[in-house]
Amino acid sequence: MVSVVRQERALRTRRLILEAAASVFDEFGYEGATIGEVVSRAGVTRGAVYFHFASKRDLAQGVVEEQFVQDGVPERSCKLQEFVDTGMVVAYLMPRDPLLSAGARLSLGQDVFDDLGGGAIPGWISRFEALLVAAGERGELLPHVVPADTAWLVIAAWTGVQIQSQKLCGRADLELRVSALFQHLVPSIAVPGVLGSLQMGPNRGAEVVAEAAAARAAEEGGAPDGEADGTARAEAQAEVGVG
């Protein structure tokens, strides 16, 4: 039992460090970020950071990889809807979640792109390709669609939309723009019977996030997200002797 509790605390501390690191990378970029600033924002010791991450590069890699652990998109019987939901949820969370925002900056920054192996981009291409393969197996795709090619194109287009939205309005219109992207591209890959049932509006990401949050609350006994986050932070800080 003691071992399980320690493991859970270690996971919470790791998450706390990643969230702090994400805010630092998002604000200063890879080159400008420092371990000292991460320590300050996380409220943990420098030793706690190095226990989980051997270097700043490892910390950046952890931020990039964490987004794939927590996207929270419910599995759908219609894989094209799950495909759209994934893109819309990321559009909703990007301006709100430093982990996603920092992951985007680290993935696109020329100072770290090669060092991090393309950042999050290869992972998102693989995720979208897998969804398209599953959609094809269910008869949801038009005959000409090659999942690998379509996934590459969609992620490239999604990335371009994100960059333009960030530059022009700080991502304020990102959900609207990503919705428009799907409404332009999906008709070229979906069979008509499926296309008519897909929900691709600009509010789709918020709806899916709310759905996932309600499901989690039901499983965990209804604890509000803010209360759970506060408890996790206090326990993680207690583990490393700060607070």
Side-chain angles (χ1 to χ4, degrees), residues 5 7-17 232 235-236:
V5 170
Q7 184 177 22
E8 290 176 350
R9 286 183 175 175
L11 290 173
R12 284 193 290 267
T13 299
R14 184 179 188 277
R15 172 72 182 191
L16 189 66
I17 293 167
E235 290 178 346

Side-chain angles (χ1 to χ4, degrees), residues 114-140:
D114 292 336
D115 195 34
L116 295 181
I121 292 173
W124 284 118
I125 292 174
S126 295
R127 176 72 61 86
F128 273 52
E129 181 181 352
L131 288 170
L132 288 170
V133 168
E137 292 171 349
R138 288 164 171 75
E140 298 171 9

Side-chain angles (χ1 to χ4, degrees), residues 173-187:
D173 65 350
L174 183 57
E175 293 166 85
L176 180 66
R177 299 301 182 184
V178 172
S179 172
L181 172 67
F182 280 122
Q183 291 180 53
H184 278 77
L185 294 183
V186 172

Side-chain angles (χ1 to χ4, degrees), residues 39-56:
V39 167
S40 176
R41 295 194 187 189
V44 300
T45 64
R46 187 176 290 267
V49 173
Y50 282 116
F51 175 80
H52 290 279
F53 303 98
S55 65
K56 185 168 77 169

Side-chain angles (χ1 to χ4, degrees), residues 84-219:
V84 171
D85 286 354
T86 299
M88 291 307 304
V89 163
V90 176
Y92 172 80
L93 292 177
M94 184 72 75
R96 299 169 172 87
D97 185 345
L99 277 164
L100 282 170
S101 184
R105 179 164 184 172
L106 290 168
S107 299
L108 299 172
Q110 293 301 311
D111 53 344
V112 293
F113 188 88
D114 292 336
D115 195 34
L116 295 181
I121 292 173
W124 284 118
I125 292 174
S126 295
R127 176 72 61 86
F128 273 52
E129 181 181 352
L131 288 170
L132 288 170
V133 168
E137 292 171 349
R138 288 164 171 75
E140 298 171 9
L141 301 181
L142 294 169
H144 71 273
V145 176
V146 179
D149 293 345
T150 301
W152 194 100
L153 179 63
V154 169
I155 293 302
W158 198 109
T159 301
V161 168
Q162 190 275 139
I163 292 172
Q164 288 296 94
S165 178
Q166 168 67 19
K167 288 182 177 296
L168 295 175
C169 62
R171 301 193 184 111
D173 65 350
L174 183 57
E175 293 166 85
L176 180 66
R177 299 301 182 184
V178 172
S179 172
L181 172 67
F182 280 122
Q183 291 180 53
H184 278 77
L185 294 183
V186 172
S188 69
I189 66 172
V191 297
V194 171
L195 180 61
S197 68
L198 295 178
Q199 298 181 54
M200 298 183 284
N203 294 325
R204 181 61 181 171
E207 293 168 356
V208 175
V209 168
E211 174 191 350
R216 285 196 303 272
E219 291 176 359

